[in-house]
Amino acid sequence: MELTYYGYSRCETCRKAKNWLDEKDIAYNEHDIVQNPPNREELENLYKKSGLELKKFFNTSGKKYRELGLKDKIKSADEKELLDILASDGMLLKRPIVTDGENVTVGFKEEQFEEVWNK
């Protein structure tokens, strides 16, 4: 199955992930995470399948994250509210997000990509 890749062209980590996928000749359907981010329902599905804490989906080093003061908000908000916040702006999402419909990775760690996507 072809992967779905959500990334941002100006993100160095995204470029590393794309290069890795390209070098391994792994097909993917690319989505600009800013222009065409996953919607709330897709985000909830990605979150549930990832096995990660929802806060791992936030781009904590991003300007938008700091502007909105989300560091404290994340600690007290419930799942529904956090998903709504994430769905409001693609720049809030940690990237890249890669999925095959069952597996999900957030960010790029070569060892993790090797384990999950190099099958």
Side-chain angles (χ1 to χ4, degrees):
M1 177 179 186
E2 188 170 273
L3 301 181
T4 300
Y5 166 94
Y6 292 96
Y8 181 53
S9 62
R10 293 175 35 194
C11 167
E12 183 63 32
T13 304
C14 293
R15 286 195 291 267
K16 287 178 185 174
K18 273 182 64 170
N19 287 340
W20 187 92
L21 292 168
D22 291 342
E23 286 172 11
K24 303 290 185 189
D25 203 26
I26 298 171
Y28 56 91
N29 183 7
E30 184 173 356
H31 296 272
D32 184 299
I33 207 161
V34 178
Q35 301 299 318
N36 188 19
N39 65 36
R40 191 196 180 288
E41 187 178 312
E42 291 168 321
L43 277 170
E44 186 170 6
N45 190 32
L46 291 167
Y47 155 61
K48 301 241 188 234
K49 292 193 176 198
S50 74
L52 298 170
E53 294 177 76
L54 191 50
K55 66 182 183 181
K56 297 286 186 188
F57 278 78
F58 281 89
N59 176 12
T60 57
S61 61
K63 181 178 161 188
K64 191 81 166 183
Y65 180 87
R66 290 189 305 275
E67 283 174 1
L68 295 174
L70 293 176
K71 181 179 180 185
D72 295 324
K73 181 89 171 160
I74 284 178
K75 295 173 187 167
S76 61
D78 64 19
E79 181 179 296
K80 180 189 177 312
E81 192 175 359
L82 292 177
L83 284 165
D84 289 342
I85 292 168
L86 282 170
S88 72
D89 190 325
M91 290 301 281
L92 292 173
L93 291 164
K94 184 171 179 76
R95 54 196 180 254
I97 298 174
V98 181
T99 184
D100 62 2
E102 290 301 315
N103 300 294
V104 177
T105 56
V106 179
F108 174 69
K109 290 190 176 85
E110 189 168 347
E111 312 79 52
Q112 182 186 37
F113 266 48
E114 193 69 46
E115 182 182 317
V116 179
W117 306 125
N118 197 22
K119 297 176 181 174

